[in-house]
């Protein structure tokens, strides 16, 4: 699993924590992915890390036991790109890596049927199989055109064109031979350098129906939160009410309003007359009297001053939001 990116589009949330370790609703994001993988029989997950690996490790402490899958960490000395990271991890693993393995982006919340992907790959006896997900706007993704038998005809990374289409879901079944296409020790992109070379030469795709969301922007992070809390994706999270999760020790004044749609992390306090809606407040945030927070994401320890109004904001750790 590729988890070495800097999560730039989620800054300042990701200034001190890698995106895959960031809390989504009530657990580190990767916990969802690892549980999903374990549910499909995966017993060992290798995290290809680069950015803040120790923070990632600390956030995932205990996850091995909870999910029932072993977690290994491989740390790149410098970012090697999505393919370079796979090659680097494969070299570190040596004989421990099977001839056929899964490779995944570490920022997709999904319940897609991995078994179907593995089956298609095996039946077609191919080199690489990509899971596809249909979207209305493919501009921010890898757009894939495939033929009737699933063969990839074209792989276009980030066209910038807002056209509907089937996109690369960031979930691959690969044969070890793919590693030969990746020069060692260099930054190489699987989307731009490797997949285009495999078109017509063993690159297959399979559209899978189900839930899929890349959580890499504030808008999608919030959408994923509501999808979890409103049951559009199957997880182990138990909402306090539909669309709402309030941590057991969070404190909400009687005259305050929380929701529709809100996450209040452990230790959060919402003072009297305040309102929090369509927002996620991570650990220990305080919303002062009569303050309003809407459509925002607050890092741990943020304080919103009494009477302040905050809309569509992403606030960094321990910041103070003044009134007016
Ligand atoms: N180890 C390592 N090293 N990991 C990396 C590196 C690296 O140099 N660069 C990126 N990653 C990891 C990120 O941490 C993330 O989990 C994953 O690779 C994908 O990177 P993103 O930056 O999130 O890519 P994207 O969302 O813009 O596009 C990718 O995902 C889309 C689906 O969500 C592409 O694979 C698209 O083709 C795809 O449609
Ligand atoms: Mg992404």
């Amino acid at each position: 699993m590729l988890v070495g990116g800097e999560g730039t589009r989620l800054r300042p949330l990701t200034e001190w924590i890698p995106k895959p370790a960031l809390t989504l609703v009530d657990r580190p994001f990767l916990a969802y992915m690892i549980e999903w993988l374990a549910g499909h029989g995966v017993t060992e997950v290798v995290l290809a890390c680069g950015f803040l690996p120790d923070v990632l490790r600390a956030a995932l402490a205990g996850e091995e036991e909870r999910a029932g899958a072993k977690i290994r960490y491989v740390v790149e000395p410098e970012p090697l790109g999505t393919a370079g990271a796979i090659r680097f991890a494969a070299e570190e693993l040596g004989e421990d890596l099977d001839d056929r393995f899964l490779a995944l982006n570490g920022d997709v919340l999904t319940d897609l049927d991995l078994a179907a992907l593995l089956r298609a790959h095996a039946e077609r006896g191919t080199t690489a199989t990509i899971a596809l997900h249909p979207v209305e706007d493919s501009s921010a993704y890898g757009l894939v055109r495939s033929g009737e038998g699933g063969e990839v005809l074209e792989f276009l990374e980030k066209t910038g064109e807002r056209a509907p289409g089937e996109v690369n879901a960031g979930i691959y079944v690969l044969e070890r031979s793919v590693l030969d296409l990746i020069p060692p020790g260099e930054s190489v992109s699987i989307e731009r350098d490797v997949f285009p070379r495999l078109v017509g030469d063993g690159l297959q795709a399979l559209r899978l129906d189900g839930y899929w969301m890349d959580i890499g922007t504030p808008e999608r992070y919030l959408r994923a939160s509501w999808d979890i809390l409103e049951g559009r994706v199957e997880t182990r999270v138990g909402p306090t009410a539909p669309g709402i999760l309030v941590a057991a020790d969070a404190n909400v004044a009687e005259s305050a309003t929380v929701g529709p749609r809100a996450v209040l992390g452990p230790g959060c306090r919402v003072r009297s007359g305040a309102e929090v809606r369509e927002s996620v407040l991570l650990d220990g945030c305080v919303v002062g009297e009569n303050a309003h927070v809407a459509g925002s994401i607050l890092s741990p320890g943020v304080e919103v001053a009494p009477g302040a109004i905050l809309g569509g904001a992403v606030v960094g750790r321990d910041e103070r939001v003044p009134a007016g």
Side-chain angles (χ1 to χ4, degrees), residues 15-307:
E15 258 162 13
W16 59 282
I17 190 167
K19 172 168 65 176
L22 187 64
T23 299
L24 183 67
V25 181
D26 68 350
R27 59 200 69 199
F29 173 72
L30 273 187
Y32 297 97
M33 287 198 76
I34 293 170
E35 279 161 21
W36 164 68
L37 289 167
H40 284 282
V42 171
T43 54
E44 182 164 10
V45 177
V46 180
L47 299 182
C49 316
F51 181 60
L52 302 176
D54 297 335
V55 181
L56 191 71
R57 222 183 272 258
L60 291 177
E63 205 45 53
E64 282 191 321
E65 273 166 39
R66 271 193 295 274
K70 194 167 169 252
I71 304 177
R72 260 168 92 156
Y73 298 81
V74 170
V75 183
E76 284 153 57
E78 59 191 318
L80 289 172
T82 45
I86 293 172
R87 163 119 201 185
F88 181 82
E91 276 166 11
E92 294 284 300
L93 292 170
E95 294 288 295
D96 287 351
L97 184 67
D98 291 342
D99 287 339
R100 179 175 300 162
F101 58 94
L102 289 162
L104 306 114
N105 288 345
D107 63 346
V108 292
L109 177 67
T110 184
D111 57 14
L112 298 184
D113 185 0
L114 261 188
L117 189 71
L118 286 159
R119 232 175 9 246
H121 180 90
E123 280 167 8
R124 297 168 183 176
T126 195
T127 312
T129 306
I130 309 176
L132 301 182
H133 178 77
V135 297
E136 284 306 309
D137 175 2
S138 62
S139 58
Y141 303 107
L143 181 62
V144 180
R145 269 201 324 116
S146 53
E148 278 187 7
E151 70 281 12
V152 173
L153 304 173
E154 201 172 29
F155 189 108
L156 297 168
E157 182 65 10
K158 301 204 174 80
T159 60
E161 251 179 81
R162 290 174 168 272
E166 292 181 339
V167 299
N168 168 22
I171 303 165
Y172 321 126
V173 184
L174 304 179
E175 294 296 314
R176 250 194 120 100
S177 60
V178 171
L179 300 172
D180 300 336
L181 299 175
I182 309 169
E186 281 178 35
S187 175
V188 184
S189 159
I190 199 158
E191 298 88 347
R192 295 180 195 277
D193 306 322
V194 178
F195 288 155
R197 280 178 60 194
L198 278 171
V199 169
D201 194 16
L203 187 61
Q204 288 271 332
L206 182 70
R207 173 188 170 143
L208 293 174
D209 295 313
Y211 183 87
W212 181 87
M213 178 78 72
D214 171 318
I215 61 138
T217 67
E219 193 221 345
R220 292 194 231 124
Y221 172 93
L222 284 174
R223 265 172 35 208
S225 303
W226 316 140
D227 289 341
I228 290 168
L229 290 171
E230 291 166 358
R232 279 182 288 276
V233 52
E234 204 180 307
T235 68
R236 294 189 188 178
V237 175
T240 313
I244 296 181
L245 188 91
V246 176
D249 68 346
N251 185 284
V252 180
E254 219 166 281
S255 60
T257 312
V258 171
R261 293 181 165 171
V263 173
L264 296 185
C268 283
R269 280 166 290 169
V270 182
R271 309 274 198 216
S272 56
E275 189 189 0
V276 175
R277 61 183 166 86
E278 306 257 357
S279 296
V280 172
L281 279 56
L282 298 177
D283 304 26
C285 291
V286 180
V287 180
E289 282 178 22
N290 300 316
H292 287 247
V293 178
S296 297
I297 310 171
L298 275 51
S299 296
V302 169
E303 269 189 48
V304 180

